[in-house]
Amino acid sequence: MNRKYRKTVIAGNWKMNMLASEIKPFMEQLKENLPKVRTCEMVLCTPAVMLPAMIKAGKDCKVAAGGQDVSRYEKGAYTGEVSASQLADIGAKYCIVGHSERRQYHGEDDMLINAKVKALLGKGIMPIICVGESLEQREMNLTMEYVAYQVKAALSGVDASQLRRCIIAYEPIWAIGTGKTATAGQAQEVCQGIRAVIRGIYGARPARAVSILYGGSMNARNAYELLAQPDIDGGLIGGASLKPVDFSEIIKATNQE
């Protein structure tokens, strides 16, 4: 982490888990375990139907609410979709785009993800842009080539002023929900590479201001080591974010100097 130049963000991705009725007790337990001094922005990204409950419950803990996906379209005959305007209207501050599960199960390509990024930025919502390689790509030494393309495609047409409101989340696909985790060195290497890609597009000052998160089985046991890396500015947390005590432990790990 480098808090001198950029903010630390711990964002939970609840995926298709939990119920709206479970949010209040979750937040009460989370509040009991949070450190008195918090050095990070806390976010919980929930299914869209649960966002109003999360926004209401999160105020007391200063936890921001985020969506898990957004439509590229502003409005229209797109049954089941949720627009950036609708997310903004209820008070969502963040939204995940390009998660590997959306890419795999829904066939989302990089151009669609770019359109979603722009839709969110246009409504004042911070996109958490997911990038990451498969195990096959890593074994073929194609990690940075593939991740660099994803970053460039997602940020196409995004100017430097908009870049300041973007977050990149590096999630190696082979480590999502598998219990496998990239070593701190592997994660740092790719996050450093992502920053270098951004530097090549926008220059040094904008690049050092972008928060880059690590996802892929970050948990209470490995968070401290991962967050100690200079180019890892937080985490996009899956399973551990469903457990208030575990999530609070990851937040505590951001207090290191």
Side-chain angles (χ1 to χ4, degrees):
M1 298 177 293
N2 189 329
R3 286 192 286 269
K4 180 179 179 181
Y5 295 116
R6 49 194 177 262
K7 67 180 178 180
T8 303
V9 180
I10 299 296
N13 176 14
W14 279 8
K15 305 190 180 185
M16 198 173 70
N17 293 298
M18 305 286 279
L19 301 173
S21 59
E22 296 175 298
I23 291 176
K24 185 177 179 180
F26 177 97
M27 298 303 289
E28 289 173 349
Q29 189 175 358
L30 178 64
K31 185 178 179 180
E32 290 175 1
N33 288 277
L34 285 174
K36 291 182 179 179
V37 178
R38 297 171 222 167
T39 54
C40 70
E41 172 89 350
M42 299 178 294
V43 185
L44 283 170
C45 298
T46 73
V49 294
M50 294 159 59
L51 279 170
M54 177 57 71
I55 291 165
K56 181 179 180 180
K59 289 180 180 177
D60 193 34
C61 290
K62 297 183 179 178
V63 175
Q68 296 179 353
D69 187 37
V70 68
S71 174
R72 68 182 296 175
Y73 301 107
E74 172 62 20
K75 59 182 178 180
Y78 303 104
T79 301
E81 295 282 273
V82 177
S83 73
S85 293
Q86 291 167 334
L87 290 174
D89 186 58
I90 61 173
K93 302 299 182 185
Y94 294 82
C95 186
I96 298 168
V97 291
H99 193 280
S100 65
E101 291 161 359
R102 298 291 310 179
R103 295 176 189 258
Q104 179 182 354
Y105 303 144
H106 300 274
E108 295 193 2
D109 62 22
D110 293 289
M111 298 304 101
L112 175 58
I113 291 159
N114 174 249
K116 292 184 176 188
V117 168
K118 292 175 179 176
L120 291 169
L121 290 171
K123 298 301 176 182
I125 298 174
M126 295 188 71
I128 301 174
I129 305 165
C130 297
V131 298
E133 83 284 12
S134 67
L135 181 60
E136 182 181 18
Q137 289 161 340
R138 172 163 283 274
E139 290 176 342
M140 293 177 66
N141 295 317
L142 294 174
T143 294
M144 274 317 306
E145 285 82 355
Y146 186 68
V147 171
Y149 173 78
Q150 289 180 310
V151 172
K152 291 176 181 178
L155 296 176
S156 178
V158 173
D159 63 34
S161 64
Q162 294 173 312
L163 177 70
R164 297 179 62 181
R165 296 185 283 119
C166 294
I167 293 172
I168 308 295
Y170 167 55
E171 290 199 312
I173 298 170
W174 49 271
I176 299 174
T178 64
K180 297 179 181 179
T181 310
T183 66
Q186 288 172 327
Q188 163 60 21
E189 181 181 22
V190 179
C191 290
Q192 183 181 43
I194 290 170
R195 202 174 305 282
V197 170
I198 297 172
R199 186 183 304 115
I201 302 170
Y202 297 95
R205 183 172 293 181
R208 74 184 184 191
V210 174
S211 295
I212 301 175
L213 315 185
Y214 173 74
S217 300
M218 181 185 281
N219 55 51
R221 295 184 301 278
N222 59 32
Y224 191 96
E225 184 181 11
L226 287 163
L227 293 169
Q229 305 304 311
D231 288 291
I232 298 178
D233 305 304
L236 181 57
I237 316 301
S241 71
L242 297 168
K243 304 172 183 177
V245 175
D246 288 9
F247 193 55
S248 68
E249 288 299 314
I250 296 171
I251 292 165
K252 289 175 185 176
T254 68
N255 282 352
Q256 61 187 280
E257 294 298 327

